[in-house]
Amino acid sequence: MAFFQRLSRPSTAPATQLELRRSQYKAFLQQVPLLCAIQIVNSVAVAVTHVGTAPIYLSLYVPLLLCVFCAVGIVVWLRARRRVLPDGDLLLRLRMTAGMVALLGAAFVAWALSLYPYGDAYAQSHVAFYMAVTVIGCIFCLMHMRLAALLLTFIVVVPFTLFFASMHNPVFVAISVNALLVAVAMILILLIHYRNFTSLVESQIELRAKQLETQQLSDENFRLANLDSLTQLPNRRRFFADLEACLALHRDNANNPAAPVDLAIGIIDLDGFKQINDLYGHVYGDRVLEETGQRLAALTTPHITVARVGGDEFGLLVVGTGAYRQLLDLGAAICSTLEQPYVLPEGSARLSASIGFAQFPVAGETAIKLFERAYYALYFAQDHRRGGAAIYSPEHETQIRYFSKIEEGLRRADFEREISLDFQPIVDVASREIMAFEALARWTSPTLGVVAPSMFIPVAERCDLIHALTEALLCKALDAVKTWPDHVRISFNLSARDLTSSGALERVIRTTLASGVAPHRIDFEITETALIQDFEQAHVSLDALRALGARISLDDFGTGFSSLNSLHRLPIDKVKVDRSFIAGIDHERTARAIVKSTIDLCQNLGLTCVMEGVESQTQMDTLLELGATVMQGHLFGKPVAASRVLDEYVREPLSPW
């Protein structure tokens, strides 16, 4: 019994046993109808040859019962093909099948041997032939079930051999010996076939395992190729792939009026991240980006996916909820989430985020168009509602075309002839003297007419023409200074790109030295945008300008990401308070408090504090009460051309205010 139990357990690894049993069961389902059919045909033939010689119960009832049992088996096993047997039931079903085969085989052997005493020698030979053919057919049909085949062979061959060998009839003895030898040969073939069958199953399992491993490796490589390793969000490649897939689907749906076309993308930019990265280091910056990725991932839904598309830029893909109001609400929720303090082991920080949205197909029908339009909406948000969201609209197209015309005009412009400067005085109210003039760029294009500096300066920065423009303006400004009294200074604005480019800074220094104007008469004004872009390079550039003898003025103080760290670490001589704080200085307590704090700060640090945008006597009086003395604005004089500076401001005393 233990021997047959060992035969019922495949000699393979546990991982292979289940698959082998499943294959055995599947093969048996295919062959059992044939096995039953062979048994029915052979049994009917033997029963017919013994009709009239054997008792009716042996020639009719018993074979009929056995054949009915086989027929029922055919029906049952044919139905079993349509059902999937649970893996846990396979071993039990295989053992039950082996037992049933053994019992059925024993029943047929007992019936066949009980017929032997009846009939003549031909009928007895038929019984011997029946049993020999039966065992051969059964072995062939059960080759995939080693246990069942061996059991049936043992049950049939052993009684057959012993029975006919005991007849002392040379013919039957020869038949029994021949049948035994054939059975032994068949068993050897069975074992070889079963071993090959097992090897085939194992090789298929190994092949599938390798294919699965290869597929898993391929899937992992694909995942890593489409994943941002820092934030664990999809990367730029995956973002565009998903966008293209959505666009293809929406283009198909566009032909179906019943299918809604509702798709939008968004670009999120962290305002002030560059400054944090430069001031506190890349490790701190990476932690901020990781936290940002986690916050954005928490906002994702089946309709909203987030990806990291750049350094501190993240992309949104919004499907199915891209209505105008919904996009604004989504943008507000994201901005509110990202404005929360970033509490990290190294310290805490606060950031804001601006978002630009572009909707399909209003803003564009291709991924590139949508991405460009979303970026433009982002620029609009940063310029007009920093820390908020903006949605691209058809009106923006007009602005885009206008900016394109500005860029084209700048590329063709003759700066010497088209670019000019106006000068606005900066006065010391206490002494009623003009301390300096701020140089303000002006451009009159032959094709566009007068273009505001707020329009062409950003375009010049984006299209990399700002360096040539700065050089031309600086030459004109220094030429004008030569005609002024020696105590009057010039205040000249430098672009962020001028500070972060070593080549541009060298041209600024070279132009200054070549002009013959004493560098100590020059104030170079910078905005905090330059500091945000590259703090370290800006520091190096400012040190070089200070070494030249010029002074440094920090413009628009309070509107960007001003910090005591900037004033402490940078060589700043002057701070200009933005006009937005001055506009409400006479009636807003908050504005008064901010201005007062800034004045006190500058006094403590030994810095000159300039109030920009002073328009009324009331504003001036309030500022004087707060301790400010250096001011600039229309109350003291509007910008005038270089040819009018001497006549209107230098030769004539300042008008009372």
Side-chain angles (χ1 to χ4, degrees):
M1 188 65 180
F3 172 74
F4 289 111
Q5 288 180 345
R6 287 196 299 270
L7 290 177
S8 67
R9 292 194 298 266
S11 58
T12 58
T16 310
Q17 291 180 9
L18 182 61
E19 184 65 26
L20 179 59
R21 290 167 185 160
R22 188 182 295 112
S23 299
Q24 288 177 312
Y25 185 72
K26 183 178 179 180
F28 183 72
L29 288 179
Q30 299 294 329
Q31 296 170 355
V32 69
L34 178 61
L35 173 63
C36 292
I38 291 174
Q39 199 64 24
I40 291 173
V41 171
N42 289 344
S43 299
V44 169
V46 172
V48 169
T49 59
H50 286 77
V51 172
T53 60
I56 191 171
Y57 72 91
L58 289 177
S59 62
L60 180 60
Y61 299 138
V62 173
L64 179 61
L65 180 62
L66 293 176
C67 289
V68 168
F69 187 82
C70 289
V72 172
I74 293 176
V75 175
V76 171
W77 288 106
L78 287 176
R79 290 182 177 179
R81 292 183 183 181
R82 304 173 185 175
R83 298 192 304 270
V84 178
L85 190 66
D87 294 340
D89 296 341
L90 276 173
L91 180 59
L92 178 61
R93 181 63 63 88
L94 289 173
R95 288 178 175 176
M96 289 177 58
T97 301
M100 291 175 60
V101 168
L103 290 176
L104 188 61
F108 275 105
V109 168
W111 171 69
L113 292 178
S114 65
L115 288 175
Y116 181 81
Y118 305 99
D120 54 14
Y122 293 107
Q124 293 173 343
S125 299
H126 192 185
V127 171
F129 176 79
Y130 164 75
M131 295 182 68
V133 171
T134 296
V135 72
I136 293 173
C138 290
I139 290 175
F140 271 110
C141 291
L142 296 174
M143 293 190 79
H144 299 96
M145 294 185 63
R146 181 176 58 182
L147 175 60
L150 292 177
L151 280 175
L152 187 60
T153 302
F154 180 82
I155 290 172
V156 175
V157 171
V158 172
F160 172 83
T161 303
L162 294 177
F163 181 83
F164 284 100
S166 65
M167 295 292 100
H168 303 292
N169 185 320
V171 175
F172 287 119
V173 171
I175 291 175
S176 64
V177 172
N178 188 28
L180 178 62
L181 294 176
V182 171
V184 171
M186 293 295 296
I187 288 174
L188 293 176
I189 295 173
L190 165 69
L191 295 176
I192 294 173
H193 175 80
Y194 184 81
R195 185 173 65 248
N196 293 337
F197 175 74
T198 303
S199 299
L200 177 61
V201 172
E202 290 177 346
S203 64
Q204 290 176 342
I205 294 174
E206 292 177 0
L207 178 61
R208 284 198 295 269
K210 291 181 180 179
Q211 290 175 339
L212 179 60
E213 182 181 357
T214 302
Q215 184 62 42
Q216 290 175 340
L217 182 61
S218 176
D219 293 342
E220 179 66 12
N221 289 336
F222 178 80
R223 187 184 70 86
L224 293 176
N226 290 273
L227 184 72
D228 176 63
S229 59
L230 180 63
T231 63
Q232 300 303 304
L233 292 174
N235 59 14
R236 186 184 184 94
R237 178 204 303 251
R238 180 60 182 272
F239 178 80
F240 273 99
D242 291 345
L243 177 56
E244 290 287 2
C246 288
L247 287 175
L249 178 62
H250 280 69
R251 291 190 193 101
D252 294 339
N253 289 342
N255 298 324
N256 181 8
V261 180
D262 200 1
L263 172 68
I265 70 167
I267 304 297
I268 305 171
D269 183 67
L270 299 181
D271 302 321
F273 174 78
K274 180 67 175 178
Q275 186 184 37
I276 287 179
N277 211 30
D278 291 339
L279 292 179
Y280 301 106
H282 292 285
V283 173
Y284 192 95
D286 287 347
R287 292 183 181 273
V288 170
L289 290 176
E290 288 180 30
E291 174 67 21
T292 300
Q294 293 173 4
R295 295 185 187 185
L296 291 175
L299 296 175
T300 58
T301 69
H303 303 289
I304 302 172
T305 57
V306 184
R308 185 185 178 199
V309 297
D312 61 333
E313 294 177 350
F314 297 84
L316 287 173
L317 186 58
V318 185
V319 180
T321 57
Y324 193 90
R325 185 68 257 172
Q326 289 175 313
L327 286 180
L328 289 181
D329 291 342
L330 174 62
I334 292 174
C335 291
S336 176
T337 298
L338 298 183
E339 284 175 356
Q340 301 303 313
Y342 290 77
V343 181
L344 303 171
E346 295 85 351
S348 62
R350 295 186 72 98
L351 293 173
S352 63
S354 300
I355 306 176
F357 287 105
Q359 296 171 293
F360 171 88
V362 175
E365 298 186 3
T366 65
I368 297 300
K369 284 292 185 182
L370 285 173
F371 205 67
E372 289 177 351
R373 298 312 192 244
Y375 259 117
Y376 184 80
L378 172 63
Y379 297 147
F380 181 86
Q382 290 175 325
D383 291 341
H384 297 84
R385 54 187 75 163
R386 183 175 289 270
I391 301 175
Y392 177 85
S393 65
E395 289 75 16
H396 291 154
E397 187 67 30
T398 302
Q399 297 183 28
I400 291 178
R401 292 177 180 175
Y402 182 60
F403 279 124
S404 297
K405 291 181 180 179
I406 291 176
E407 179 178 345
E408 183 180 356
L410 283 173
R411 294 189 182 280
R412 298 180 179 180
D414 181 354
F415 289 161
E416 184 64 29
R417 182 172 58 85
E418 299 176 22
I419 295 294
S420 63
L421 287 170
D422 281 355
F423 297 89
Q424 185 177 34
I426 302 173
V427 302
D428 186 339
V429 178
S431 64
R432 300 178 61 82
E433 291 183 353
I434 295 177
M435 299 180 60
F437 286 93
E438 180 179 2
L440 304 172
R442 301 290 185 261
W443 178 34
T444 303
S445 168
T447 56
L448 302 175
V450 177
V451 184
S454 60
M455 302 292 284
F456 72 81
I457 294 295
V459 173
E461 290 179 328
R462 285 200 292 269
C463 67
D464 214 24
L465 292 172
I466 191 64
H467 304 318
L469 182 60
T470 296
E471 187 174 5
L473 290 171
L474 183 58
C475 288
K476 291 178 180 291
L478 296 178
D479 286 342
V481 173
K482 296 176 184 178
T483 64
W484 302 346
D486 291 342
H487 68 278
V488 180
R489 306 172 60 81
I490 180 71
S491 186
F492 185 83
N493 292 276
L494 288 178
S495 165
R497 299 286 299 278
D498 295 324
L499 288 183
T500 55
S501 170
S502 58
L505 182 67
E506 291 175 0
R507 286 196 293 271
V508 169
I509 295 175
R510 186 168 57 249
T511 300
T512 301
L513 294 176
S515 68
V517 177
H520 70 267
R521 297 181 62 190
I522 305 173
D523 292 337
F524 286 109
E525 291 192 17
I526 62 169
T527 63
E528 288 188 285
T529 305
L531 308 181
I532 293 172
Q533 289 188 359
D534 193 334
F535 185 88
E536 295 302 327
Q537 181 58 44
H539 197 310
V540 172
S541 299
L542 295 182
D543 283 340
L545 294 175
R546 281 291 299 274
L548 183 66
R551 295 183 183 181
I552 308 300
S553 177
L554 185 59
D555 196 12
D556 298 335
F557 187 80
T559 60
F561 298 89
S562 306
S563 66
L564 295 178
N565 188 67
S566 298
L567 297 179
H568 172 69
R569 294 181 59 188
L570 297 174
I572 303 295
D573 300 290
K574 183 186 299 183
V575 171
K576 300 185 74 174
V577 179
D578 188 70
R579 65 181 63 247
S580 61
F581 296 100
I582 309 304
I585 193 70
D586 53 348
H587 59 274
E588 294 181 4
R589 295 181 59 184
T590 302
R592 289 171 61 91
I594 293 175
V595 172
K596 176 60 177 174
S597 299
T598 305
I599 293 172
D600 294 342
L601 175 64
C602 290
Q603 289 176 349
N604 293 333
L605 295 177
L607 305 177
T608 301
C609 188
V610 181
M611 302 293 149
E612 291 186 303
V614 181
E615 308 291 338
S616 68
Q617 184 73 33
T618 304
Q619 291 174 345
M620 184 190 74
D621 293 339
T622 303
L623 291 171
L624 286 172
E625 292 176 5
L626 296 176
T629 58
V630 182
M631 305 180 192
Q632 179 182 356
H634 286 181
L635 178 64
F636 310 104
K638 296 181 179 181
V640 297
S643 60
R644 297 170 53 194
V645 169
L646 291 176
D647 291 335
E648 295 198 18
Y649 293 117
V650 178
R651 292 174 182 158
E652 296 293 333
L654 289 176
S655 59
W657 41 74

